[in-house]
Amino acid sequence: MSASRMQISRVPSKPVRRDEDGTLTIDLWLTKDGGFESDIPLRLTGAEAEVLHAQLCYALDDSTASVITPVSKLPDCRKGILASRPSQC
């Protein structure tokens, strides 16, 4: 018997939202062997969301960000990271 392949991805049409209790919710899709299984919410406290935000900023620290979006149009948190990188010739 082969193992099932599970995959979780973000629901592209649903924005991140703040619930009444202050929790931030990201809606996710769960698929199994390529077929839809369920919607599942990822709930984060404000502190958890801040940590994720910082980790994403550093993980996105590559040269492709400025190809897709000019540095002048990036959020402030991303401008500092790209500006601090040494120029690559």
Side-chain angles (χ1 to χ4, degrees), residues 9-21:
S9 58
R10 184 164 175 223
V11 178
S13 62
K14 292 188 176 181
V16 175
R17 66 183 182 280
R18 183 178 299 271
D19 297 329
E20 289 180 19
D21 65 357

Side-chain angles (χ1 to χ4, degrees), residues 37-68:
E37 283 286 313
S38 179
D39 283 351
I40 54 175
L42 172 61
R43 292 188 174 97
L44 302 168
T45 64
E48 291 168 330
E50 273 300 329
V51 170
L52 177 60
H53 174 258
Q55 290 172 342
L56 287 169
C57 280
Y58 284 105
L60 289 168
D61 184 19
D62 63 22
S63 58
T64 60
S66 60
V67 171
I68 298 167

